[in-house]
């Protein structure tokens, strides 16, 4: 977790998280929670509904889990790719 070794020589730092619902699961959410527990600012700078490669059908259940996580932790985010392949 990057927050374990924080940038300390500047005052205004935010950490970024990227996820793709089919590729990234609870293990990445756990890392995000670990960072948030250290009171860092976390912004989800990119996310998608399929695999990180951009291929595959969207995973609606995994996407719903991620959206709930973003809502629960009040994280701002930008969606990179919605897919209805």
């Amino acid at each position: 977790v990057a927050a374990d070794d924080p940038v300390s020589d500047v005052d205004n730092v935010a950490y970024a998280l990227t996820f793709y619902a089919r590729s990234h699961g609870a293990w990445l959410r756990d890392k995000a929670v670990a960072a948030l527990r250290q009171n860092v600012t976390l912004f989800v700078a990119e996310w998608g509904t399929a695999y990180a490669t951009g291929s595959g059908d969207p995973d609606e259940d995994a996407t719903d889990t991620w959206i709930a996580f973003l809502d629960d932790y009040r994280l701002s985010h930008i969606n990179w790719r919605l897919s209805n392949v």
Side-chain angles (χ1 to χ4, degrees), residues 33-66:
V33 170
L36 291 167
R37 285 186 178 143
Q38 295 182 54
N39 294 318
V40 302
T41 299
L42 186 63
F43 175 71
V44 179
E46 176 182 334
W47 69 269
T49 61
Y51 289 109
T53 61
S55 64
D57 292 335
D59 186 330
E60 292 182 38
D61 291 337
T63 299
D64 288 346
T65 299
W66 272 105

Side-chain angles (χ1 to χ4, degrees), residues 8 24 41:
S8 59
H24 306 106
T41 299

Side-chain angles (χ1 to χ4, degrees), residues 1-7 15-17 27-40 42:
V1 176
D4 288 342
D5 186 18
V7 176
Y15 293 84
L17 175 74
W27 63 271
L28 187 55
R29 287 188 295 275
D30 290 346
K31 283 187 169 191
V33 170
L36 291 167
R37 285 186 178 143
Q38 295 182 54
N39 294 318
V40 302
L42 186 63

